Amino acid sequence: MYIGSNKQKFEMIFDTGSSWVWVQSDDCKNCMKNDHKFVPDDSESYKQLSFSKSELNYGKGSVIGYDSKDMVCLMKDSELGDGCMKDYLFKTIVQQRDLKGLATAGIIGLSPSGQDSGAQLFIPSLYEQGAIKNNMFSIYIDNNKKSKIHMGGYDLARYATGPLNFHKLSSDQFWEMPLHRVRAGSLSFKPVVQRVMADSGTSLNLMPEHDYKKIFNHFFKDKFKCQRLKNTLTMCDCTEEQHQSIPDIHFTLDGTEYKINRDQWFERAPSHNKCVIKLMHGPHKPYWILGLNFFTNYYTVFDYKNKQIGFAESINMGKPMNKGFINWCLSSAGIYDEDYLAK
């Protein structure tokens, strides 16, 4: 993304679970990516709207900064009305808290509403100023190569192998849909919490504790020797035969079934006979979340105009997993793979 009259370039995280756009400024002394900071004084079109700071809170960590306006562009050679919009409201950040793992200059919130926070929606603003053709965006996730986001449309021919199925949103606050059923092998149940959100800012799938226990008790309790890791995930002793015994997980939305492959939720490190249950869970979660390991399987279209979200089977469906995550889990448990140590 490019900000300011001089088009300062920034790498950003696209987060469908939040609404604000923010970028770290040159006044932020504890921001992580110190070589990519927005310099307001270098932009002739920059406006600081307030001299009082405000805070944005995330699941872990927060940022503090000032409400600001400036020109925002999608490409270096974009112009107003074609990839650029003027006087866009965002926050210039002067302080971060507990965001040490953030490797980019900021976040672009892409929720379907401002979530009562005063945020100016990014995609609808681009559309209203004629910067993009349609009031929508789509994402393609590839864990082994480059992922793509298409603002203003989608490209099924390039990124999908199946038809696009749309689902109406059940909430204006998030990209949320009703979840009707969950199936994994012989286990099939109506979830206790029947709300599911599509969130590109979440790495793994998340579920309420009641529903997680149904899966864990059916497939793992008294069958695997497991331990809770420091990162809150669960690791189990696991032979190849045990690993193969675990099925894919299927979710039913409006009568259409979607799946997460076994290795995307139960991944094995063969050299250590260990497997990790890649499902986040918690006792006070009022919804399910479909995270990036779901988007790896499904090319996803977020439609603001019709308040709906569409899924089409991705060209990445069934491809082998990148081993970076399982190696990180091994390190969390004090187990290190030789290839991991060599990096």
Side-chain angles (χ1 to χ4, degrees), residues 137-169:
F137 70 96
S138 55
I139 58 174
Y140 161 76
I141 299 299
D142 187 340
N143 289 329
N144 299 297
K145 295 181 181 179
K146 286 188 176 181
S147 299
K148 302 288 183 182
I149 182 166
H150 182 174
M151 297 184 185
Y154 58 89
D155 189 347
L156 290 181
R158 186 172 183 179
Y159 298 116
T161 59
L164 186 62
N165 297 300
F166 279 103
H167 305 276
K168 289 292 184 180
L169 300 184

Side-chain angles (χ1 to χ4, degrees), residues 109-283:
L110 294 171
S111 65
S113 78
Q115 301 171 334
D116 301 319
S117 68
Q120 181 179 344
L121 296 182
F122 188 72
I123 296 296
S125 296
L126 285 168
Y127 175 70
E128 289 164 7
Q129 293 197 32
I132 57 176
K133 294 181 179 179
N134 299 291
N135 196 7
M136 62 172 59
F137 70 96
S138 55
I139 58 174
Y140 161 76
I141 299 299
D142 187 340
N143 289 329
N144 299 297
K145 295 181 181 179
K146 286 188 176 181
S147 299
K148 302 288 183 182
I149 182 166
H150 182 174
M151 297 184 185
Y154 58 89
D155 189 347
L156 290 181
R158 186 172 183 179
Y159 298 116
T161 59
L164 186 62
N165 297 300
F166 279 103
H167 305 276
K168 289 292 184 180
L169 300 184
S170 56
S171 167
D172 288 336
Q173 297 293 303
F174 301 98
W175 296 103
E176 179 186 303
M177 303 151 286
L179 174 62
H180 299 101
R181 196 148 200 90
V182 178
R183 179 175 67 85
S186 60
L187 176 67
S188 179
F189 63 92
K190 188 176 182 178
V192 174
V193 177
Q194 297 176 44
R195 301 167 55 202
V196 61
M197 294 192 311
D199 183 9
S200 66
T202 302
S203 298
L204 305 176
N205 296 298
L206 178 147
M207 60 185 65
E209 194 70 21
H210 322 75
D211 296 324
Y212 174 81
K213 283 184 176 178
K214 288 181 182 178
I215 294 174
F216 182 85
N217 291 342
H218 185 86
F219 292 107
F220 302 102
K221 188 177 180 180
D222 301 324
K223 300 173 185 176
F224 288 76
K225 182 181 177 181
C226 302
Q227 61 178 321
R228 190 76 174 266
L229 301 179
K230 292 179 181 179
N231 58 28
T232 74
L233 297 178
T234 300
M235 177 177 283
C236 305
D237 293 343
C238 174
T239 65
E240 177 60 21
E241 184 178 0
Q242 287 176 308
H243 177 246
Q244 291 293 329
S245 71
I246 302 300
D248 302 335
I249 293 180
H250 298 78
F251 305 91
T252 300
L253 309 174
D254 298 326
T256 302
E257 197 172 66
Y258 301 95
K259 75 173 180 178
I260 297 175
N261 305 73
R262 175 186 59 242
D263 283 352
Q264 290 173 319
W265 78 274
F266 189 59
E267 188 176 357
R268 183 168 182 265
S271 58
H272 298 290
N273 279 332
K274 299 285 186 182
C275 289
V276 175
I277 303 174
K278 296 160 57 176
L279 298 173
M280 300 186 295
H281 53 98

Side-chain angles (χ1 to χ4, degrees), residues 7 73-75 77-85 126 129-133:
K7 294 186 178 178
C73 298
L74 301 179
M75 302 292 288
D77 57 355
S78 297
E79 298 178 354
L80 288 175
D82 185 14
C84 290
M85 57 180 166
L126 285 168
Q129 293 197 32
I132 57 176
K133 294 181 179 179

